[in-house]
Amino acid sequence: MDQQPSTVEKRDQFGSRMGFILAAAGSAVGLGNLWKFPYMTGANGGGAFVVIYLLAVLIVGFSLMLMEFALGRNTSLAAAGAFRTLDNRFTFLGVMGVFSAFIIMGFYPVVGGWSVAYVVKTLTGELVAGASYDAIFGTLISGTFTPVFWTLIYLLMNVVIVAGGISGGIEKAAKLMMPALFILLIILAIRSITLPGAGAGLEYLFKPDWSLVNGGVVLAALGQAFFSLSLGMGCMITYASYLDKKENLVSTAFIVPALDTLIAILAGIVIIPATIALGFEVGAGPGLVFVTIPAVFATMGATVGRILSLFFFVLVVLAALTSSMSLLEVVVSYLVDEKNMTRKKAVTLAGIVMFIMSIAASLSMGAWSGFTIMGNNIFDLFDKITTNITMPLGGMGISIFVGWFWGKEKARGEVTNDGTIKFKLFDLWFFACKWVIPIIIGIVFLTGISSFPG
Ligand code: PHE
């Protein structure tokens, strides 16, 4: 290690390459894929949104993932520390990342809590055929005590895992959860596309209608790529800081976005065709998964539907957990590396603040729904500030830093492990870091932001 963190504890590391890939993919794959991607696709017109999303992953996602891996491993420090040691004029980028993590953790646990509640609702038989699914969802999210209770339960799960540290907690959890998630999704996707009438849904998902696209849609797709890949806020910098010097960053930076995109598309294939085939509304918004899916399952027969529904919501909870624990880790490693706190104290402190923010986000759909800022309630505001503003701008800052300040030779040394790993596309990648990515993000941000907060 070149830079020792100031704490006396030895810095933890991932125990294996597979463990790291699974943890990074676990961070990427989450509610962004299963809950947000299908409803964003539905709300933004289908195929065209999907195509722009794929372009964003291809052009910006891969390159930025590699940059973040390189910065984290090079310094063995979480986001803020990484920038501080490399060039302290850029420390603000790391701090902005910690801010993003905090704000995301102000609404993510609310949806995590709904997911836990739906596991329980499936078990208790509340989601049977003929039930009024939008009423069930509406009652849950607009409640005062119940959603906050489930959010608390969900946050506690995160606190327990992250308190266990890297190899003991995060890695173990990811190793178990990721393969289970993948298998469950494949089963559900097969079920969905074999429904009579699923063809129209597949067409909606994959056939672009460009007339629906404007600057706001492009920014939404770009922001969604950042959110889904956990980029632009130091999360991948932080995870890579626990990585061994021998690992191949290039191949990992390819595998993780590929897996994440595969799972988002799979989730789309599970949800959109089934929704359309059964005559539900694809543009239903954040309730899409929670309202449509139980209804879809219920039409598959009482027992099968209930088992699949249980699978599905357990899957959503697992995927959400491996993501939110990485968000919590960003904040915790900042407090440990920069503020000399013990891991336990940092986890407790962060958990409490996140709980308070989540209460506000949860109540903003019920008792506090009258309180809005520029037309958004607190929940939407937390989402839009991060997805559409701080993450894309963070990504732009990271590219500018790597392309213009860190420099080509240092970047080359880190991503090729000092020349021992072949990376044929290095020049193209560096060109993207220096020119393409900052310019694209700049243009998309400026043309799309006018539609914020709409
Ligand atoms: N990528 C996660 C998801 O799709 C969310 C996330 C964002 C996690 C940023 C970490 C950092 O659900």
Side-chain angles (χ1 to χ4, degrees):
M1 248 180 277
D2 321 330
Q3 320 280 343
Q4 283 292 344
S6 45
T7 41
V8 282
E9 290 172 51
K10 182 182 178 307
R11 195 171 178 79
D12 205 350
Q13 274 198 350
F14 282 103
S16 69
R17 170 172 162 74
M18 201 54 196
F20 175 72
I21 293 179
L22 289 177
S27 163
V29 176
L31 294 172
N33 310 56
L34 302 173
W35 163 72
K36 214 171 172 199
F37 180 78
Y39 94 71
M40 292 282 285
T41 302
N44 286 291
F49 178 84
V50 175
V51 171
I52 300 167
Y53 176 80
L54 292 176
L55 285 175
V57 173
L58 206 66
I59 299 172
V60 181
F62 284 110
S63 301
L64 196 60
M65 182 81 61
L66 184 55
M67 289 184 235
E68 294 205 15
F69 283 171
L71 293 172
R73 191 183 57 176
N74 183 261
T75 54
S76 297
L77 287 170
F83 286 109
R84 187 175 36 68
T85 44
L86 294 173
D87 184 338
N88 65 15
R89 287 170 302 173
F90 285 84
T91 310
F92 74 93
L93 278 178
V95 175
M96 188 164 98
V98 175
F99 171 81
S100 298
F102 248 121
I103 304 290
I104 296 174
M105 284 303 275
F107 73 94
Y108 206 93
V110 175
V111 186
W114 298 345
S115 312
V116 178
Y118 268 68
V119 170
V120 177
K121 283 181 192 300
T122 307
L123 286 172
T124 57
E126 196 183 330
L127 303 171
V128 290
S132 169
Y133 304 105
D134 25 8
I136 292 173
F137 181 68
T139 308
L140 172 70
I141 69 166
S142 62
T144 300
F145 178 74
T146 318
V148 170
F149 170 77
W150 291 119
T151 298
L152 176 64
I153 299 289
Y154 179 81
L155 254 176
L156 283 176
M157 296 187 207
N158 287 272
V159 165
V160 170
I161 296 173
V162 174
I166 290 296
S167 49
I170 290 180
E171 184 171 354
K172 237 180 229 156
K175 263 188 185 158
L176 223 82
M177 292 170 184
M178 288 298 294
L181 184 145
F182 196 70
I183 295 167
L184 288 177
L185 259 190
I186 302 254
I187 296 173
L188 290 172
I190 293 172
R191 175 65 259 193
S192 174
I193 57 174
T194 51
L195 283 172
L202 287 173
E203 191 167 302
Y204 179 83
L205 193 56
F206 293 116
K207 202 168 152 197
D209 175 357
W210 297 107
S211 68
L212 302 172
V213 174
N214 58 31
V217 172
V218 180
L219 179 60
L222 180 75
Q224 171 63 15
F226 274 91
F227 187 84
S228 190
L229 296 171
S230 309
L231 290 176
M233 40 75 68
C235 184
M236 292 302 175
I237 298 180
T238 304
Y239 264 21
S241 75
Y242 298 104
L243 203 51
D244 192 88
K245 294 293 177 201
K246 295 189 301 285
E247 296 300 352
N248 184 334
L249 299 183
V250 179
S251 64
T252 311
F254 183 80
I255 294 169
V256 173
L259 263 179
D260 185 77
T261 307
L262 185 69
I263 294 200
I265 299 288
L266 263 178
I269 295 176
V270 169
I271 290 162
I272 305 268
T275 303
I276 292 180
L278 296 162
F280 298 105
E281 178 52 59
V282 265
L288 190 63
V289 167
F290 296 99
V291 175
T292 311
I293 284 293
V296 170
F297 286 137
T299 62
M300 296 174 181
T303 319
V304 176
R306 198 154 157 198
I307 293 171
L308 287 180
S309 168
L310 183 66
F311 271 177
F312 185 81
F313 287 110
V314 169
L315 173 109
V316 175
V317 172
L318 296 183
L321 266 179
T322 52
S323 297
S324 53
M325 65 199 199
S326 73
L327 287 158
L328 180 55
E329 176 61 28
V330 167
V331 176
V332 167
S333 56
Y334 172 75
L335 297 175
V336 171
D337 284 352
E338 304 295 308
K339 305 285 171 207
N340 274 325
M341 272 186 206
T342 60
R343 178 164 274 271
K344 236 194 202 136
K345 188 167 167 207
V347 172
T348 312
L349 190 72
I352 291 172
V353 177
M354 288 164 181
F355 181 53
I356 293 170
M357 290 169 54
S358 296
I359 294 176
S362 181
L363 292 182
S364 79
M365 276 164 293
W368 293 358
S369 60
F371 177 75
T372 57
I373 296 172
M374 298 193 291
N376 289 276
N377 62 22
I378 298 171
F379 182 98
D380 291 339
L381 207 66
F382 285 171
D383 177 9
K384 287 181 181 165
I385 286 175
T386 46
T387 304
N388 292 346
I389 301 179
T390 61
M391 294 171 88
L393 289 185
M396 184 165 146
I398 292 170
S399 317
I400 291 174
F401 173 71
V402 171
W404 296 88
F405 293 87
W406 203 32
K408 195 163 182 174
E409 289 323 306
K410 282 191 188 141
R412 189 199 302 273
E414 191 60 40
V415 299
T416 63
N417 297 5
D418 293 321
T420 56
I421 283 171
K422 269 215 196 90
F423 181 24
K424 285 204 195 99
L425 298 177
F426 176 81
D427 285 316
L428 183 65
W429 172 72
F430 196 78
F431 180 74
C433 302
K434 192 161 179 169
W435 297 100
V436 181
I437 294 174
I439 291 173
I440 287 186
I441 296 177
I443 292 174
V444 172
F445 184 76
L446 290 177
T447 49
I449 196 64
S450 56
S451 64
F452 181 84

